[in-house]
Amino acid sequence: MKPNYFSIPYVGWMALFVVTPIVMVFVFALTTPTGEFTLRNFSDMGLFLPVFIRSFRLAFLATVVCIVLGYPVAYLLARETTRVQRILFMLIMLPLWMNFLLRTYAWMSILENTGLLNQLLSFLSLPTVRIINTETAVVIGMVYNFLPFMILPIYSVIVKIDKNLIEAAHDLGANTFSVFRKLIAPLSIPGILSGVTMVFVPAVSAFVITQLLGGGMVFLLGDLIEMQFLGTAHNPNVGSAISIVMMLIVIVFVIVMNKFGSGEEKAVGL
């Protein structure tokens, strides 16, 4: 096999800006500030267990909400005509054309105590609510920013389902609900698993959302790592250890999702 010289720039780029930083993180995690080998950075990880639990709990909750909201949208989108699909795709992708920070700031103006939501409730003579600087606000921010990453994988799977299978099911006497439950839902599981991965992984490591919508009151793993590198607690060694533990947990999660997805594809005969 002849070497592909055109891949050399890409391999060099990946080695310099992907592999090297990861190696540096491992080195920092296994050493002290003076450069001596140690495992204490990992042994003290129990101190941050509540932060780990809160991060994965909120990421899981945001992922579930994205499934509940995203699946019906993807299903209806797949049933529309090509022209309508293009319009809806533009509406779904439109927020992603804006800066992530600006989108989150917009939700601050909506959810704050004197924001648009409470102004609307006051106008309707309804009691106001306090959402900003709470876990609810953080989950709302996660869902808003990551929902398109749930819709698109599910849509891409549903739209590829052979229409002949659906027609055959109807010809055999199955109603719309039975067709969805026994045919469309099982066949769309690989798309759901892809969406879960694409939502859960960034959600569990989010920190801008927590800082703006959580107001420092909701402390997650992203905030903890940033504090170790840039904050007052400055300890890159501990921050690197936390990053590695989180990365390993996420890798295990992705492997499990992929294994489960492969099993589902074989089960439905894909």
Side-chain angles (χ1 to χ4, degrees):
M1 181 181 294
K2 294 181 179 180
N4 187 354
Y5 295 105
F6 291 103
S7 65
I8 293 178
Y10 173 76
V11 173
W13 178 276
M14 294 294 292
L16 182 61
F17 294 103
V18 177
V19 177
T20 301
I22 293 177
V23 172
M24 292 178 62
V25 169
F26 273 91
V27 171
F28 270 101
L30 295 173
T31 57
T32 64
T34 58
E36 300 174 355
F37 176 81
T38 182
L39 293 176
R40 184 170 182 178
N41 297 326
F42 292 96
S43 63
D44 293 341
M45 205 63 64
L47 299 174
F48 309 115
L49 183 60
V51 181
F52 274 88
I53 294 175
R54 187 184 304 114
S55 299
F56 282 89
R57 176 170 56 84
L58 295 186
F60 174 79
L61 180 58
T63 303
V64 171
V65 175
C66 283
I67 294 175
V68 173
L69 297 178
Y71 194 97
V73 175
Y75 177 73
L76 295 176
L77 184 61
R79 294 170 59 91
E80 295 293 342
T81 62
T82 303
R83 182 179 179 182
V84 175
Q85 286 180 0
R86 291 174 181 173
I87 297 174
L88 295 179
F89 264 126
M90 185 186 68
L91 295 177
I92 292 172
M93 300 301 295
L94 188 61
L96 299 181
W97 297 350
M98 293 187 299
N99 182 272
F100 185 92
L101 192 61
L102 293 179
R103 300 200 304 267
T104 309
Y105 268 119
W107 272 102
M108 288 181 62
S109 64
I110 295 174
L111 300 178
E112 63 184 2
N113 296 330
T114 57
L116 297 177
L117 177 60
N118 280 328
Q119 290 181 16
L120 177 61
L121 293 176
S122 298
F123 177 78
L124 298 175
S125 300
L126 297 174
T128 59
V129 293
R130 182 184 177 277
I131 299 180
I132 197 68
N133 299 339
T134 64
E135 292 185 355
T136 301
V138 173
V139 172
I140 290 175
M142 290 179 177
V143 171
Y144 173 75
N145 283 291
F146 304 136
L147 183 59
F149 302 113
M150 180 65 71
I151 295 175
L152 298 181
I154 297 176
Y155 161 80
S156 65
V157 171
I158 294 179
V159 78
K160 293 178 182 178
I161 296 177
D162 192 347
K163 300 297 188 297
N164 293 327
L165 294 176
I166 300 176
E167 293 178 2
H170 284 298
D171 292 341
L172 292 173
N175 56 32
T176 302
F177 177 76
S178 297
V179 171
F180 174 80
R181 181 171 62 88
K182 296 183 178 181
L183 182 64
I184 297 178
L187 289 175
S188 62
I189 287 179
I192 296 175
L193 296 179
S194 297
V196 168
T197 302
M198 295 179 67
V199 171
F200 182 83
V201 172
V204 77
S205 58
F207 67 94
V208 173
I209 296 174
T210 57
Q211 291 178 359
L212 297 181
L213 299 182
M217 306 298 293
V218 183
F219 201 71
L220 302 185
L221 280 174
D223 306 293
L224 181 61
I225 294 172
E226 185 194 30
M227 184 181 69
Q228 300 297 329
F229 281 93
L230 302 175
T232 55
H234 186 70
N235 193 333
N237 303 88
V238 174
S240 297
I242 298 172
S243 301
I244 290 175
V245 172
M246 185 181 70
M247 182 174 62
L248 293 177
I249 294 175
V250 170
I251 289 175
V252 171
F253 171 80
V254 172
I255 292 175
V256 172
M257 288 291 100
N258 289 338
K259 289 289 185 180
F260 185 72
S262 299
E264 291 294 340
E265 290 180 2
K266 294 177 181 178
V268 297
L270 294 179

